[in-house]
Amino acid sequence: MAAGVPAVQVAVSHRGRIIYSEAFGITDKDSAAAATPRSVLQVGSVTKQFTAAAILRLAERGALTLDDRIEKYVPEFNNRGATITLRHLLSHTSGVRRDWYPPTPTGLAPPAPVTREHTINTLNSQPFDFAPGTKWGYSNAGYQLLGYAIESITGMPYAEFIHTELALPLGLLDTGVCGTSNLPLPEGYGQSPQGTWKRMPSPHTSVLLSAGTLCSTATDLARWSHFLATGRVMLPASYATMTTPARLNNNAIVPSSYALGVAVQNMVGQPAVWHSGAIDGYQSFLLYLPEKDIAIAVITNAFPAPPGGNPQLIVTAVANAAVGSL
């Protein structure tokens, strides 16, 4: 709050039980609406955990294998002779560009809706950054292709799959694609280089789709981490696959020990599974400590924001307190 962030949500779960959930500040500067633990906020790339979980659930059903080539499910994508698998896309080792859209004047995602055809045609016109499996490069566009694959396999929109297969059965009532299933498409704030705060228009959900369009609360995210790790979302073997760091063709582990939709590293002296998120007007950080079954989630309605507004700072401080007391 001292950094000027308008609102912050924090939640902690222990063995699946929410032991702390609080919100600070305001979600709307004009109306001075107070933030609450039920304020629905955008979570950005934490969405990738849900997309990876969806792919792994479909693999359990025999609808796909992780080593299937993406064009099997997205035939309009031009692989240009490269073998790009679902596993490559999940682990950011595909070589597909970070974003399908060209840089905008502000550096932010375009706000207008786009079609699947337009997105893939744009991707098809761009060179790959590297040969699949030879390097690691974070790719929102790669995760958008995974969303299109989910839609092709299931015959339902990505938003509907997330709602009916994950959010609703798990009781995550404040989680889903923003602007669907009675959820809002909220707008956060960003700080200019001059230090002033302004409202940040939200990108249309079609622009990032399965890479970053989910809305949620810190409470739902903390519960999600526990469900994900304890068999409520997928079989233990699938979760082990999801949390095993990816390797390149030369057998080297990728940076940040990124696995499939999550990073796996030690934090606060503990093995940890985590992901961060940043989207116009919002930042998030979700941490799970498997040995203690502790999950910590923080969401702010501020991006771009000063370094002191980074949710990871809060998560780290809370995690140190939790590890020392639980």
Side-chain angles (χ1 to χ4, degrees), residues 49-207:
Q49 290 192 15
F50 290 79
T51 299
I55 291 288
L56 286 162
R57 286 190 76 161
L58 291 171
E60 289 180 352
R61 296 174 186 172
L64 58 83
T65 74
L66 298 185
D67 295 314
D68 287 342
R69 295 160 69 123
I70 183 60
E71 65 268 22
K72 181 176 180 180
Y73 309 108
V74 189
E76 62 269 45
F77 175 70
N78 183 1
N79 66 353
R80 282 152 278 181
T83 298
I84 298 177
T85 66
L86 303 180
R87 191 186 301 272
H88 285 137
L89 295 167
L90 287 164
S91 60
H92 298 298
T93 58
S94 68
V96 173
R97 286 280 176 92
R98 178 184 176 94
D99 294 300
W100 66 266
Y101 51 85
T104 61
T106 61
L108 303 174
V114 296
T115 63
R116 170 173 170 152
E117 179 184 23
H118 175 76
T119 302
I120 294 176
N121 284 344
T122 305
L123 272 176
N124 287 344
S125 70
Q126 298 173 343
F128 298 137
D129 286 344
F130 50 83
T134 61
K135 296 181 181 180
W136 187 87
Y138 194 83
S139 177
N140 290 316
Y143 263 77
Q144 191 143 356
L145 288 173
L146 291 168
Y148 294 148
I150 292 167
E151 292 184 336
S152 295
I153 293 166
T154 64
M156 65 177 71
Y158 174 79
E160 183 181 347
F161 185 87
I162 294 298
H163 178 67
T164 60
E165 289 274 342
L166 298 176
L168 197 59
L170 295 172
L172 304 177
L173 302 182
D174 296 320
T175 299
V177 171
C178 302
T180 68
S181 303
N182 297 318
L183 296 174
L185 178 59
E187 292 184 345
Y189 293 87
Q191 189 180 54
S192 71
Q194 293 73 37
T196 59
W197 290 91
K198 65 177 182 178
R199 195 61 109 160
M200 301 298 292
S202 297
H204 193 272
T205 55
S206 60
V207 174

Side-chain angles (χ1 to χ4, degrees), residues 270-282:
Q270 297 280 321
V273 178
W274 64 272
H275 211 289
S276 60
I279 193 169
D280 309 355
Y282 293 92

